[in-house]
Amino acid sequence: MNDGSSKETIGRLMEHFYEINEGIGVHKSPELYGAFTTDPYSHTPAGKGAQQPGMTGQVKEDILSRIGELGIIVSKGILQFKPCLLRAEEFVEMPFNFQYIEFQPLIFNENQFESNLVSVMAYYAYVILGLDADTFSLEGGTDFYRRAQNIVTQAQGSNSAGWSQSADSNRSRFELIDNLLSNTYREYRIAMYNYHRKGLDILPDNNSTGKQVIAGTMNLFQTMINRRPNAFLISTFFDAKSEEIKNIFSDGPKVDIVKLKETLNKIAPLYATTWNDIKY
């Protein structure tokens, strides 16, 4: 790009970048990978280079490639950003306003709203930690969610968008944390635990049982939808998991795919094309 190469050359290089970035792990389908695509440990025989990135290795690879996508360049002591590799869909569509003065320290105060930028970053950090903790123990993320909820409470007086209960969009930060802590959507957190801890984690040792647990987890979403149709949390789950679910049930021991696809089309009809691609 710095050398003035043609758009065609740059485009082909970008295609190769994203292909390599997919790695040989979690992003690959069972057909290409030849096994279940998520493994907690690397399989590296003695005396050889890494044969497969485990979960930790995959995270490291994603972080390193992300630096390239963000276009972080240090030249002559100057930090520059040239995000030429970022895809258009990576950008947030909703407006997000914040003030930042050069050299201003970013300090998070748990008991007081200091900055919209800092509060948003801290809020999502706690939500991410909570979602992760929920996959290891039932409702294990509650403390993190409470901290995120406290940030919402502190930020509501700032008049910044996305914090109030009466936000224009029902996909506000208030709505997300309120739903995660609400008993109305309790099945979501049970599903998160069952899907990951009782399903994904046992797939390498007992593929058939793991698939049955994951398939049964979809029924929890059905119960939640019966109570609250178009639930925000449903879309957040399938935005992240639709491709993974397709890959899981397109390989290995068979389960009742017909019933599963029927359930998936009821609870997440927007992903009907993905569900139709499940091969069995």
Side-chain angles (χ1 to χ4, degrees), residues 1-4 10 14 17-18 65-75 78-87 91:
M1 295 179 182
N2 292 333
D3 295 335
I10 293 173
M14 289 177 65
F17 170 83
Y18 282 110
S65 63
R66 201 62 170 166
I67 292 174
E69 292 174 38
L70 291 171
I72 300 175
I73 301 170
V74 179
S75 177
I78 300 174
L79 179 64
Q80 303 176 20
F81 293 89
K82 296 182 179 179
C84 304
L85 290 171
L86 274 182
R87 292 166 168 164
F91 292 93

Side-chain angles (χ1 to χ4, degrees), residues 12 20 35 40 57 61 67 97 100 128 149 159 199 204 233 248 253 256:
R12 293 177 67 180
I20 294 170
E61 288 184 359
I67 292 174
N97 300 318
Y100 178 73
I128 291 168
Q149 188 179 51
N159 294 322
L233 291 178
I248 288 171
D256 188 349

Side-chain angles (χ1 to χ4, degrees), residues 4-279:
S5 299
S6 67
K7 290 184 178 180
E8 180 182 358
T9 300
I10 293 173
R12 293 177 67 180
L13 285 171
M14 289 177 65
E15 290 177 4
H16 284 300
F17 170 83
Y18 282 110
E19 183 179 3
I20 294 170
N21 185 31
E22 293 296 316
I24 59 171
V26 68
H27 302 294
K28 292 292 186 183
S29 68
E31 290 84 0
L32 291 174
Y33 182 75
F36 185 67
T37 57
T38 303
D39 204 316
Y41 306 104
S42 297
H43 293 256
T44 306
K48 292 187 177 182
Q51 303 297 297
Q52 170 199 333
M55 289 181 181
T56 303
Q58 187 70 54
V59 170
K60 291 177 181 177
E61 288 184 359
D62 287 345
I63 291 173
L64 290 173
S65 63
R66 201 62 170 166
I67 292 174
E69 292 174 38
L70 291 171
I72 300 175
I73 301 170
V74 179
S75 177
K76 298 180 179 180
I78 300 174
L79 179 64
Q80 303 176 20
F81 293 89
K82 296 182 179 179
C84 304
L85 290 171
L86 274 182
R87 292 166 168 164
E89 57 266 27
E90 293 279 359
F91 292 93
V92 177
E93 295 181 359
M94 296 179 61
F96 169 58
N97 300 318
F98 64 91
Q99 281 187 330
Y100 178 73
I101 302 172
E102 189 176 13
F103 306 121
Q104 176 186 356
L106 299 177
I107 300 173
F108 172 59
N109 185 339
E110 194 166 8
N111 298 312
Q112 183 176 346
F113 178 87
E114 300 280 356
S115 156
N116 196 39
L117 176 60
V118 172
S119 292
V120 168
M121 293 169 64
Y123 169 86
Y124 283 114
Y126 280 131
V127 169
I128 291 168
L129 289 169
L131 290 170
D132 187 55
D134 269 355
T135 68
F136 285 96
S137 62
L138 188 59
E139 299 189 349
T142 299
D143 183 57
F144 294 115
Y145 295 147
R146 293 291 184 197
R147 290 171 180 265
Q149 188 179 51
N150 182 60
I151 293 173
V152 173
T153 301
Q154 298 291 341
Q156 284 182 336
S158 69
N159 294 322
S160 298
W163 297 112
S164 69
Q165 185 174 359
S166 58
D168 293 337
S169 171
N170 62 356
R171 295 194 169 197
S172 65
R173 289 181 285 278
F174 173 91
E175 187 79 11
L176 175 60
I177 200 62
D178 181 72
N179 285 186
L180 284 168
L181 286 169
S182 172
N183 196 46
T184 302
Y185 304 99
R186 60 186 178 278
E187 289 86 3
Y188 178 84
R189 297 181 66 186
I190 297 172
M192 285 287 287
Y193 175 70
N194 288 353
Y195 180 95
H196 293 91
R197 190 69 185 91
K198 294 183 176 181
L200 283 183
D201 284 358
I202 71 168
L203 277 172
D205 298 320
N206 194 328
N207 198 283
S208 179
T209 299
K211 285 187 174 183
Q212 291 174 16
V213 171
I214 292 172
T217 299
M218 301 303 113
N219 294 324
L220 290 170
F221 290 121
Q222 180 66 67
T223 300
M224 192 169 81
I225 287 177
N226 290 340
R227 187 186 309 116
R228 285 294 177 89
N230 303 316
F232 177 22
L233 291 178
I234 293 290
S235 62
T236 64
F237 181 87
F238 287 104
D239 280 349
K241 295 293 185 179
S242 58
E243 286 295 324
E244 182 176 76
I245 292 170
K246 181 191 75 173
N247 292 335
I248 288 171
F249 291 100
S250 294
D251 182 66
K254 301 295 186 291
V255 297
D256 188 349
I257 298 296
V258 175
K259 183 177 180 180
L260 172 67
K261 291 175 73 172
E262 180 181 335
T263 301
L264 288 170
N265 278 307
K266 285 182 179 178
I267 61 179
L270 292 178
Y271 303 91
T273 302
T274 303
W275 310 142
N276 289 334
D277 287 339
I278 295 177
K279 308 299 181 185

